[in-house]
């Protein structure tokens, strides 16, 4: 069997949810489990995060699967309805759709569900992605509250720079000042806002990345935030090459040795979810010792420097990221985000659950 394997810690997921709860204060917590729970597996996340007040997903299919798994808590559809035909399904499954454009309101008005829906009404406070213009809030809120298919309304926005120095005030204050008069519950906090800005708690918070043990902040490691990595990816060295000065390694010969050196070949590549653009120097652990990748990542393999690992050979364990090496540090070296690395874990990688 090919040695690459991912280990998913249910205990770490549950721990990270407790951290989110500690920061949420009196607010209720939607555990964001879209994209197959950021690559960790929807079923695993559902079990490990069972103490959440609700779950947030992207599609009806994800929501339906959660209901089949026995989830009774509210399920939020983060992009809402994609067509009029989904109104009845939302009612049947008891889902809470996010409404962010006029067509969705038209569908609810034209095809009112037999079972009125709890809805989240999203306003664009400056991210300019999804949401009604804040300037139109009075008319939009009035229309939605008048719909017979709506049982209750929560107001919502999303931050563009909660993880950066710009922060949230430039979006949060206009949002709160515009919608405060409606006397409705509200939701704004993602992981970064929840961890850094208590003022964003509102009535519901929506942590995602932090639940999986990664940091939303480039300058703050997850361990400093009290988070534990839920995913560890491991493999082994399957070949060792001796490279002479001036000789290259891998496709394109992007790395050339300056002196004679041993190079390990690891059974992991971009088809497993490792970033193809990870350059020479991306950190990697060889039998617990920090080393670096060399040259271009291949589809099924990558190369690693064994200069400081004299005892390493075929069968030596390697950690790509996890408990000993944060996914954030690998993502930073590869000029990508931990979101992408976690979500990109390929289906061909065997997964083992741990407590």
């Amino acid at each position: 069997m090919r040695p690459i394997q991912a280990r998913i810690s249910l205990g770490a997921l549950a721990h990270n949810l407790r951290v989110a709860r500690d920061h949420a204060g009196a607010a209720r917590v939607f555990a964001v489990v879209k994209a197959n729970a950021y690559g960790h597996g929807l079923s695993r996340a559902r079990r490990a995060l069972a103490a959440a007040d609700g779950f947030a997903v992207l599609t009806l299919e994800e929501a339906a699967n959660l209901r089949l798994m026995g989830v009774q808590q509210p399920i939020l559809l983060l992009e809402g309805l994609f067509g009029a035909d989904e109104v009845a399904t939302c009612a049947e499954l008891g889902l809470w759709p996010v409404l962010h454009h006029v067509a969705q309101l038209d569908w609810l008005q034209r095809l009112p569900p037999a079972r009125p829906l709890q809805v989240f009404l999203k306003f664009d406070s400056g991210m300019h992605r999804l949401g009604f213009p804040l300037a139109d809030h009075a008319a939009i809120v009035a229309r939605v509250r008048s719909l017979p298919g709506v049982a209750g309304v929560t107001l919502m926005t999303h931050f563009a720079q909660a993880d950066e120095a710009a922060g949230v005030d430039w979006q949060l204050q206009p949002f709160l000042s515009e919608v405060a008069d409606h006397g409705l519950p509200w939701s704004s906090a993602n992981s970064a806002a929840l961890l850094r800005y208590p003022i964003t708690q509102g009535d519901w918070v929506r942590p995602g990345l932090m639940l999986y043990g990664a940091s939303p902040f480039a300058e703050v490691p997850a361990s400093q935030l009290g988070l534990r990595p839920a995913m560890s990816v491991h493999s082994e060295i399957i070949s060792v090459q001796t490279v002479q000065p001036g000789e290259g390694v891998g496709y394109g010969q992007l790395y050339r040795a300056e002196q004679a050196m041993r190079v390990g070949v690891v059974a992991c590549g971009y088809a497993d979810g490792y970033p193809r653009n990870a350059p020479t120097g991306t950190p990697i652990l060889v039998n617990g010792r920090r080393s670096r990748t060399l040259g271009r990542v291949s589809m099924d393999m990558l190369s690693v420097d064994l200069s400081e690992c004299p005892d390493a050979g075929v069968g030596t364990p390697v950690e790509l990221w996890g408990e000993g090496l944060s996914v954030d540090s690998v993502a930073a070296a590869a000029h990508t985000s931990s979101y992408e690395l976690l979500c990109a874990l390929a289906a061909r990688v065997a997964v083992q659950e741990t407590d």
Side-chain angles (χ1 to χ4, degrees):
M1 176 183 287
R2 193 160 173 265
I4 186 169
Q5 180 186 78
R7 299 171 191 162
I8 307 297
S9 169
L10 305 189
L13 288 167
H15 167 83
N16 296 335
L17 175 61
R18 289 193 291 271
V19 174
R21 278 200 177 282
D22 288 344
H23 285 271
R28 289 171 289 177
V29 177
F30 275 120
V32 180
V33 294
K34 62 180 179 177
N36 196 29
Y38 290 46
H40 293 68
L42 187 61
S43 176
R44 293 183 200 97
R46 186 273 306 175
R47 287 180 277 127
L49 303 174
D53 300 294
F55 291 89
V57 298
L58 195 70
T59 67
L60 275 179
E61 290 78 12
E62 291 170 326
N65 284 337
L66 285 175
R67 289 293 187 230
L68 287 173
M69 294 173 193
V71 168
Q72 300 297 315
Q73 296 103 309
I75 299 177
L76 185 68
L77 289 176
L78 289 168
E79 290 183 7
L81 308 166
F82 292 101
D85 58 320
E86 296 188 349
V87 173
T89 306
C90 270
E92 180 183 346
L93 296 175
L95 309 181
W96 296 10
V98 171
L99 307 178
H100 57 84
H101 64 74
V102 172
Q104 294 171 327
L105 309 189
D106 294 341
W107 299 334
L108 276 171
Q109 186 165 2
R110 189 170 73 249
L111 299 168
R115 179 182 177 186
L117 304 175
Q118 292 285 339
V119 303
F120 273 51
L121 191 54
K122 189 169 190 176
F123 287 96
D124 175 20
S125 57
M127 189 170 185
H128 299 315
R129 195 174 63 174
L130 296 180
F132 295 99
L134 267 180
D136 299 341
H137 69 93
I140 296 296
V141 171
R143 181 181 176 189
V144 171
R145 295 178 96 171
S146 72
L147 295 176
V150 171
V153 179
T154 298
L155 305 179
M156 175 182 179
T157 196
H158 192 64
F159 299 122
Q161 294 177 292
D163 57 337
E164 300 175 7
V168 300
D169 275 357
W170 67 275
Q171 287 184 261
L172 181 65
Q173 296 308 325
F175 171 72
L176 293 181
S177 64
E178 291 288 345
V179 305
D181 290 343
H182 297 295
L184 293 170
W186 57 279
S187 172
S188 69
N190 57 4
S191 291
L194 177 59
L195 288 166
R196 187 165 279 178
Y197 303 106
I199 194 174
T200 66
Q201 289 171 355
D203 296 274
W204 284 93
V205 296
R206 312 186 304 271
L209 184 67
M210 67 176 294
L211 297 179
Y212 306 99
S215 173
F217 308 114
E219 76 283 7
V220 183
S223 59
Q224 191 172 316
L225 299 169
L227 303 173
R228 291 171 46 194
M231 178 192 292
S232 296
V233 182
H234 301 261
S235 190
E236 294 177 2
I237 293 174
I238 60 172
S239 175
V240 176
Q241 303 291 328
T242 299
V243 180
Q244 299 302 320
E247 292 183 338
V249 173
Y251 285 123
Q253 302 283 275
L254 298 185
Y255 176 80
R256 291 190 177 273
E258 296 180 358
Q259 57 190 15
M261 63 187 300
R262 296 170 71 239
V263 175
V265 179
V266 179
C268 176
Y270 60 78
D272 299 299
Y274 199 85
R276 184 179 184 273
N277 62 333
T280 291
T282 299
I284 191 169
L285 293 185
V286 178
N287 202 22
R289 177 174 290 183
R290 192 179 180 102
S291 186
R292 60 174 182 152
T293 63
L294 300 173
R296 180 175 290 162
V297 175
S298 302
M299 182 181 289
D300 310 305
M301 292 170 279
L302 57 81
S303 297
V304 60
D305 187 353
L306 299 182
S307 299
E308 303 299 322
C309 307
D311 298 328
V314 172
T316 296
V318 170
E319 182 175 301
L320 288 308
W321 65 75
E323 294 181 4
L325 179 67
S326 75
V327 67
D328 301 317
S329 63
V330 177
H335 307 293
T336 184
S337 71
S338 48
Y339 293 88
E340 184 174 4
L341 266 61
L342 296 174
C343 292
L345 185 71
R348 75 178 191 175
V349 177
V351 177
Q352 176 188 7
E353 291 181 11
T354 64
D355 293 333

